[in-house]
Amino acid sequence: MKHFFPLILLLLSSIGHAQWPAERKQAYDAAAPQEPEMQTPATYLSMRPAGDIRLTTTSSTPFDLVENISLASLPNELNLQAWRGERCSTQLAVQANGPARQLSVSCTSLSNGDKSIPATVSLIRYTVAHGTPTADIIGGETTCDNPAGVNRGIWLQIDVPQNAEPGIYQGQVIVSAEGCAETRQTIRLHVSEETLPAPDQWKLCLDLWQHPQAVARWHDVEPWSPEHFALLRPLMKRLATAGQKCITTTLLDEAWNGQTYDTFPSMVRWIRGVDGQMRYDYSALDAWVSFMHDEIGIRGQISCYTMIPWHLRVRFFDEATGRYDSIRAVPGTPEYTELWAPFLRDFHAHMQQKGWAEKTCISIDERPDNMVRAAMKLLEQEAPSFRISSAVDKPSDLTREVYSIAPVITHAGTALGDLLKERKAAGKLTSFYVCLHPKKPNTFTHSNPAEAEWLGFFAAANHLDGFLRWAYNSWNRNPFECTDFVHWPSGDCFLVYPGNRSSIRFERLRDGIENYEKINLLRARAGKSPEAAAAVQHMDKILADIFSVERSTGDSHTDDVKRARLLIEQTARRLRD
């Protein structure tokens, strides 16, 4: 998913695996002072909404927005809106006039008469992004010693039950600290009559690449052991409840030529026997897919990386020598057919036996068309149930043929229009992705939080089927200390943190997915009447104007998201009337 990866960085990355020890230090956060603070403890706390603000240790926003304004004149309510079945969440910020010892946050349930909806709050931890301590980590902590001059983020999360009664619900977020009077923020949540289905029924084809090896390394457990799966379970459940559809598997070692801190080993063990014949051990792949499919509930697609690795090599264990060796094979050559045809026949039969063949895709990442065509030809001959999924920089003539295609967002426009209609009519999936580029919109640690939500609106506005992002959890050495890794933009390699901790960017991406689902549900009502058709057409026109490739790299993501959220609610009301 990367471009122009320098050889020296590849070498440094591979050396790093051997030299850098496992680091599981979980210091509270990167904002903590290095020396004890000698300043007078805080005596005053102030709290403000900070939904679209990326807090850093030098942030004055959102409190500078209320300078020269009497606090008494400011509204004391934060108004939120949600459908039944929706996760409604936002960020608040607390400011103290000195070091706040035992800063503590809590919240009440949101009530409407005798009815209530539970809510949770947690403090947002800081990590370093490109040298700047940046608030991003959403854990379960509700207490900390907050340094002087640091605005502390608070994450409020409300999971609205699908059977909640529509109406206005009200509650409070409460913050206190030693020596300070507590401060409160009133929350008013308007629950709509509309209902969002459960995540396993969402339509967006979400494809965030999973990295089980990173979990094993961080927690220092044996890969594929019961302990490993126990640690994977909550992390992957979080992914499933965001609507994930794809299971990331590997057919060979380091399909991306070593672009992550942790190795990406093959889930298939290739073994050349003393008779010279290759055989294949699928035990790791079977355990992983069964776990993700049966326990986690991710059942849309099994993405197998890959028949065209960046290094074009397949590593195997040679029983005759007792050592590992590798074979390099270029698609379209006799050597390639000799290597891959027996594997495809065997793997196809195995996946058929498991009942997984129809959802298996051989996944390809930014490889030349001539190589992809050669692989497709062999695949059709040897494993006809399998399909191809491919991330591409820019769509080409091959775009029409590949089952699932995902161009980078800056080239997504070339996959729209008549080509998109043609692909939809043929039952093919058309998605898009972001990675280290573009600079925005993106999901980096330093990105404006609204950018992550903007991506879901972009998919909906352009009638795309999905969104792809490397990677869900390819952690660096210690993401609690810093989210940088080699030359990638900070946070590019992961969206969540060890210990099943979420992030502002992951939760805002999830918000965008929920909005994608809302838009599609509203579109489904267009056939009810001419008035309904007009309301949906009006919505679609405005969305298309706002969420375009040309507009994507501007500075209006926050305003775009606010406008689109309002548009959804206005359209829902028109369709109810």
Side-chain angles (χ1 to χ4, degrees), residues 82-138:
W83 287 19
R84 294 182 293 182
E86 180 179 357
R87 173 174 296 174
C88 181
S89 52
T90 192
Q91 178 183 228
L92 299 98
V94 177
Q95 185 181 71
N97 63 345
R101 295 172 181 169
Q102 289 299 294
L103 181 74
S104 179
V105 60
S106 62
C107 68
T108 67
S109 294
L110 279 66
S111 300
N112 179 350
D114 60 352
K115 301 175 288 295
S116 67
I117 296 174
T120 60
V121 287
S122 61
L123 297 170
I124 301 172
R125 292 166 62 170
Y126 280 82
T127 183
V128 172
H130 295 318
T132 301
T134 303
D136 189 53
I137 306 167
I138 303 172

Side-chain angles (χ1 to χ4, degrees), residues 424-437:
K424 283 183 178 292
K428 296 177 179 178
L429 298 178
T430 310
S431 303
F432 77 103
Y433 75 84
V434 295
C435 60
L436 62 83
H437 66 91

Side-chain angles (χ1 to χ4, degrees), residues 206-520:
L206 180 63
D207 187 6
L208 306 181
W209 297 356
Q210 310 101 54
H211 197 164
Q213 198 74 19
V215 175
R217 184 267 302 179
W218 179 267
H219 294 282
D220 198 18
V221 298
E222 184 69 24
W224 314 125
S225 65
E227 295 80 8
H228 188 202
F229 282 111
L231 291 160
L232 285 164
R233 189 169 291 107
L235 192 67
M236 296 306 150
K237 279 287 188 183
R238 182 181 297 280
L239 181 58
T241 57
Q244 175 76 8
K245 298 294 185 290
C246 303
I247 304 170
T248 307
T249 70
T250 50
L251 303 180
L252 41 74
D253 287 331
E254 297 296 350
W256 301 279
N257 212 13
Q259 296 190 35
T260 53
Y261 177 80
D262 293 292
T263 59
F264 241 120
S266 177
M267 295 180 186
V268 177
R269 189 165 184 249
W270 296 58
I271 306 161
R272 187 162 68 185
V274 292
D275 59 357
Q277 299 298 308
M278 200 75 77
R279 66 180 190 274
Y280 318 96
D281 179 355
Y282 303 112
S283 55
L285 184 141
D286 289 350
W288 171 242
V289 173
S290 294
F291 168 76
M292 292 291 280
H293 189 275
D294 300 333
E295 292 192 45
I296 304 301
I298 297 174
R299 302 187 175 109
Q301 176 177 302
I302 301 169
S303 303
C304 301
Y305 291 91
T306 178
M307 285 177 64
I308 316 179
W310 286 35
H311 46 61
L312 296 177
R313 289 189 174 276
V314 173
R315 183 170 176 262
F316 64 92
F317 181 75
D318 192 336
E319 289 185 334
T321 64
R323 295 192 299 270
Y324 281 94
D325 202 346
S326 65
I327 300 173
R328 187 175 188 274
V330 179
T333 64
E335 293 81 8
Y336 187 83
T337 301
E338 183 180 356
L339 175 68
W340 281 100
F343 170 79
L344 287 174
R345 288 193 294 270
D346 192 84
F347 186 46
H348 186 251
H350 178 78
M351 297 303 269
Q352 283 183 315
Q353 183 181 21
K354 302 292 288 187
W356 299 334
E358 299 300 325
K359 59 181 66 178
T360 298
C361 282
I362 301 298
S363 297
I364 294 169
D365 183 23
E366 294 181 343
R367 299 293 81 203
D369 277 7
N370 64 322
M371 290 189 179
V372 178
R373 286 190 183 279
M376 286 177 65
K377 182 178 179 181
L378 188 61
L379 197 65
E380 290 168 0
Q381 293 172 355
E382 307 295 347
S385 299
F386 293 172
R387 294 178 287 193
I388 291 279
S389 64
S390 178
V392 295
D393 178 35
K394 184 177 181 179
S396 65
D397 290 340
L398 193 62
T399 302
R400 283 183 166 80
E401 302 174 38
V402 172
Y403 163 67
S404 179
I405 199 82
V408 68
I409 188 173
T410 48
H411 290 304
T414 55
L416 302 177
D418 291 340
L419 176 57
L420 180 59
K421 293 177 183 177
E422 176 186 320
R423 288 182 54 79
K424 283 183 178 292
K428 296 177 179 178
L429 298 178
T430 310
S431 303
F432 77 103
Y433 75 84
V434 295
C435 60
L436 62 83
H437 66 91
K439 292 182 178 179
K440 56 184 177 180
N442 220 304
T443 59
F444 305 134
T445 314
H446 53 277
S447 295
N448 181 318
E451 292 177 31
E453 187 169 348
W454 199 97
L455 296 169
F457 276 116
F458 177 83
N462 293 285
H463 300 269
L464 293 165
D465 300 303
F467 172 68
L468 181 153
R469 186 73 170 85
W470 105 302
Y472 179 59
N473 68 306
S474 287
W475 298 318
N476 61 359
R477 181 171 179 255
N478 188 347
F480 291 127
E481 292 185 347
C482 179
T483 56
D484 299 349
F485 180 63
V486 290
H487 73 307
W488 310 147
S490 198
D492 181 48
C493 301
F494 51 92
L495 287 163
V496 293
Y497 292 85
N500 189 32
R501 291 171 172 88
S502 190
S503 70
I504 292 174
R505 50 212 170 99
F506 179 75
E507 294 300 326
R508 291 299 297 270
L509 177 64
R510 191 184 188 283
D511 288 344
I513 295 166
E514 287 184 323
N515 287 315
Y516 177 99
E517 302 302 324
K518 290 180 180 181
I519 290 166
N520 280 341

Side-chain angles (χ1 to χ4, degrees), residues 37-43 96-101 145-149 177-178 180:
E37 294 188 280
M38 306 304 293
Q39 301 181 40
T40 303
T43 58
N97 63 345
R101 295 172 181 169
D145 289 333
N146 197 62
E178 289 183 5
C180 300

